Amino acid sequence: MVQANDPARPRLQVSCIQFEPIFGDVAGNVSRSCELIRAAAASGSKLVVLPELANTGYVFQSTDEAAALAEEVPTGPTSEAWGALAIELGIHIVAGITERAGDALFNSALLTGPNGPIGVYRKAHLWDRENLFFRKGDLGFPVFETSIGKLGVAICYDGWFPETFRQLALGGAEIVCVPTNWVPMPGQPEGEAAMANTLHRAAAHSNGIFIACADRIGVERSQPFEGQSLIIGPKGWTIAGPASRDRPETVTASVDLGDAARKELSTFNSVLRDRRVDVYG
Amino acid sequence: MVQANDPARPRLQVSCIQFEPIFGDVAGNVSRSCELIRAAAASGSKLVVLPELANTGYVFQSTDEAAALAEEVPTGPTSEAWGALAIELGIHIVAGITERAGDALFNSALLTGPNGPIGVYRKAHLWDRENLFFRKGDLGFPVFETSIGKLGVAICYDGWFPETFRQLALGGAEIVCVPTNWVPMPGQPEGEAAMANTLHRAAAHSNGIFIACADRIGVERSQPFEGQSLIIGPKGWTIAGPASRDRPETVTASVDLGDAARKELSTFNSVLRDRRVDVYG
């Protein structure tokens, strides 16, 4: 039942950049992220993931504050900086950005590659006070066919919904890139690993996909973040990370995205085919 | 947004019995399970979960072999033994059983209580060679309203499918009882915790439900099992266990099933309400 791997498929080095954006310092955040992307590319990475809202920081106090920092995608200065860097380095970048589209603000992530901008994803499930500032994502769960593979994107609280990864896997995603700003969960025992690590490992296993999560660190306006960025293989085992809770780190793995085509868990079982769609409501 | 807890709701002690059924020794397995159920009830447990196919063992070599050991539910001798014990002890029991129904065999779990048999669940997602012997479950994902709360049942590979727990949570389940026979997963690193623990913790968190998993131990016809039975709270944190990989153990927790009514993760967020059913395919 196991499909032959495509022998022509090269391995892909993926990096998730965990760092601390400084609230409101867009120029500084973009500049710092570009340094870190350059370092990851210099080490051989061809796909680099940045955290959620990596250009602006996260904890907005008002819609006006969010609007003042938002930019159009892919025509704003942040998109142009990351876009130019991807072209220069010949890599793909997935990065969280505060997006303005007409009158609407979105918590978005752009995908840009060696040949320029590829697309944008808008966060479907909004966390906490994001509901005051952002509109819910209106682009569904797109899967982008690129020269390195089929990429999906999810942002932070999207990962709390198994439906997110099911949609992306059924859409053919081989790897889901997750720009995120994970926060502690209710009842979290002292020192326990982030619940998000558990959620994403389960999602990778149940869908047979790679998942690459780039989280931020630091405390912003009294909101702490969880760090623990990681890259997960298609059987749900962690293949890089998790990073620390509180230090800037780049988590890197070399993967064969063709492994995401092998959904089998036993001679008789394949995780997407075995769904009982006849009995799900 | 937090709902008031029902002050009249008593706490419920739950036990998951991890033991090693001996293949084919139905009388011995039932007898041993009854001893262990008595001990759990003596310690105060009012809900006791046994492993998958706890009366027969797991590794059938042929349909004839499975058919010879299968029984009707709830009229067969195994159902009657567990049913009588539940009445005698005034408890609820969820237990895996090899079920015959007409010409069909099912990998099932019965629910029986202080007033007699309540219902049966038939495993929806069949693992590996089970596909040769058993028919796929044809009863959906029932939620049983009992005197102790709203109970769902899932069996082993059902837990690989997030849809299982979504269906049960949307159906009102407060706790899902999981009779199981977990086996090692592909690529499992030496000494790593069972993937099943990760899958069920994620499911509990994403649905705000309790999950109580009773696994078997031992090696049967060269098939090893994973043990690591556990009880998980509705925020996804483990509240009892995980048990060892290889020793008989009873894992016990005292719970307030009313906690499963509080689906909130933040002022703005509730895990079932936040689903973007408008964009799921």
Side-chain angles (χ1 to χ4, degrees):
Chain A
M1 312 280 282
V2 174
Q3 298 173 18
N5 195 3
D6 177 353
R9 191 112 187 226
R11 292 189 72 83
L12 172 69
Q13 187 173 309
V14 182
S15 284
C16 294
I17 292 179
Q18 173 170 303
F19 80 116
E20 180 174 1
I22 304 304
F23 186 84
D25 182 13
V26 174
N29 293 333
V30 172
S31 171
R32 178 75 186 129
S33 71
C34 287
E35 288 172 25
L36 294 164
I37 293 167
R38 282 186 187 281
S43 81
S45 290
K46 297 294 186 188
L47 171 61
V48 180
V49 186
L50 291 180
E52 181 179 6
L53 305 185
N55 64 327
T56 57
Y58 179 81
V59 186
F60 298 115
Q61 285 174 332
S62 68
T63 304
D64 285 351
E65 195 177 59
L69 293 170
E71 300 179 22
E72 294 187 345
V73 177
T75 54
T78 296
S79 300
E80 288 187 349
W82 285 333
L85 190 63
I87 292 170
E88 176 195 334
L89 299 174
I91 66 171
H92 287 77
I93 298 172
V94 176
I97 183 167
T98 303
E99 182 189 10
R100 182 194 304 114
D103 290 337
L105 303 180
F106 294 97
N107 181 334
S108 296
L110 62 78
L111 169 61
T112 192
N115 297 316
I118 295 172
V120 63
Y121 167 71
R122 293 170 174 165
K123 188 176 184 176
H125 306 87
L126 298 178
W127 174 253
D128 210 4
R129 288 169 51 85
E130 291 172 34
N131 286 281
L132 300 177
F133 314 128
F134 292 119
R135 193 174 296 183
K136 290 176 183 173
D138 57 359
L139 301 175
F141 298 99
V143 175
F144 302 102
E145 300 214 22
T146 74
S147 57
I148 54 172
K150 296 176 184 172
L151 274 60
V153 183
I155 301 176
C156 200
Y157 191 48
D158 286 329
W160 270 239
F161 298 83
E163 293 89 346
T164 298
F165 300 102
R166 243 340 169 226
Q167 294 287 311
L168 289 167
L170 291 170
E174 297 169 323
I175 184 168
V176 178
C177 300
V178 183
T180 189
N181 282 185
W182 292 328
V183 300
M185 284 293 105
Q188 184 165 321
E190 181 73 20
E192 186 93 17
M195 178 58 67
N197 284 185
T198 296
L199 298 175
H200 289 79
R201 288 188 52 214
H205 182 86
S206 281
N207 291 287
I209 54 174
F210 290 89
I211 300 182
C213 304
D215 194 12
R216 67 163 289 171
I217 52 170
V219 177
E220 188 178 280
R221 292 177 164 173
S222 84
Q223 172 65 62
F225 297 95
E226 284 278 81
Q228 302 171 70
S229 301
L230 78 172
I231 302 173
I232 306 162
K235 292 293 179 279
W237 309 110
T238 302
I239 56 176
S244 68
R245 285 183 187 273
D246 54 4
R247 293 187 304 279
E249 293 184 58
T250 295
V251 171
T252 298
S254 172
V255 302
D256 177 353
L257 291 187
D259 289 343
R262 289 180 282 285
K263 306 291 189 192
E264 295 78 13
L265 288 176
S266 80
T267 305
F268 288 84
N269 295 109
S270 181
V271 290
L272 293 185
R273 191 196 61 210
D274 289 346
R275 297 167 68 237
R276 288 292 307 277
V277 290
D278 56 322
V279 290
Y280 303 153
Chain B
M1 313 281 280
V2 175
Q3 298 172 16
N5 194 3
D6 176 354
R9 190 112 187 225
R11 293 189 72 83
L12 173 70
Q13 187 174 308
V14 183
S15 285
C16 295
I17 292 179
Q18 173 169 303
F19 80 117
E20 180 175 359
I22 305 303
F23 186 83
D25 181 13
V26 174
N29 294 331
V30 173
S31 171
R32 179 74 186 131
S33 70
C34 287
E35 288 172 24
L36 294 164
I37 292 167
R38 282 186 188 281
S43 81
S45 290
K46 297 295 188 188
L47 172 60
V48 179
V49 186
L50 291 180
E52 181 179 6
L53 305 185
N55 64 327
T56 58
Y58 179 81
V59 186
F60 298 114
Q61 285 175 332
S62 68
T63 303
D64 286 350
E65 195 177 57
L69 294 169
E71 299 178 22
E72 293 188 345
V73 178
T75 54
T78 296
S79 300
E80 289 187 349
W82 286 333
L85 189 63
I87 292 170
E88 176 194 334
L89 300 175
I91 65 171
H92 286 77
I93 298 172
V94 175
I97 184 168
T98 304
E99 182 189 8
R100 181 194 306 112
D103 290 338
L105 303 179
F106 294 97
N107 181 334
S108 296
L110 62 78
L111 169 61
T112 193
N115 297 315
I118 296 172
V120 63
Y121 167 71
R122 293 169 174 166
K123 187 176 185 178
H125 306 86
L126 298 178
W127 175 254
D128 210 5
R129 288 169 51 85
E130 291 172 35
N131 285 280
L132 300 176
F133 314 128
F134 292 119
R135 193 174 295 182
K136 291 177 183 172
D138 56 0
L139 300 175
F141 298 98
V143 175
F144 301 101
E145 300 214 22
T146 74
S147 56
I148 53 172
K150 297 176 184 170
L151 275 58
V153 183
I155 301 176
C156 200
Y157 190 48
D158 286 330
W160 270 238
F161 298 82
E163 293 89 347
T164 298
F165 300 102
R166 247 331 174 233
Q167 294 288 310
L168 290 167
L170 291 170
E174 297 168 325
I175 184 169
V176 177
C177 300
V178 182
T180 189
N181 282 185
W182 293 328
V183 300
M185 284 293 105
Q188 185 165 320
E190 181 74 19
E192 185 93 19
M195 178 58 66
N197 284 185
T198 296
L199 298 175
H200 290 79
R201 287 187 54 211
H205 182 86
S206 281
N207 292 287
I209 53 173
F210 291 88
I211 300 182
C213 305
D215 194 12
R216 66 163 290 171
I217 52 172
V219 177
E220 188 178 278
R221 291 178 166 173
S222 83
Q223 172 65 62
F225 298 95
E226 284 278 81
Q228 303 172 69
S229 301
L230 79 172
I231 302 173
I232 307 162
K235 292 293 178 278
W237 309 110
T238 301
I239 57 175
S244 67
R245 285 181 186 272
D246 54 4
R247 292 188 304 279
E249 292 184 57
T250 294
V251 171
T252 297
S254 171
V255 302
D256 177 354
L257 291 187
D259 289 343
R262 289 180 281 285
K263 305 292 189 192
E264 295 77 13
L265 289 177
S266 80
T267 305
F268 288 83
N269 295 108
S270 181
V271 289
L272 293 185
R273 191 195 62 210
D274 289 346
R275 299 167 68 236
R276 289 292 308 278
V277 290
D278 57 319
V279 291
Y280 303 153

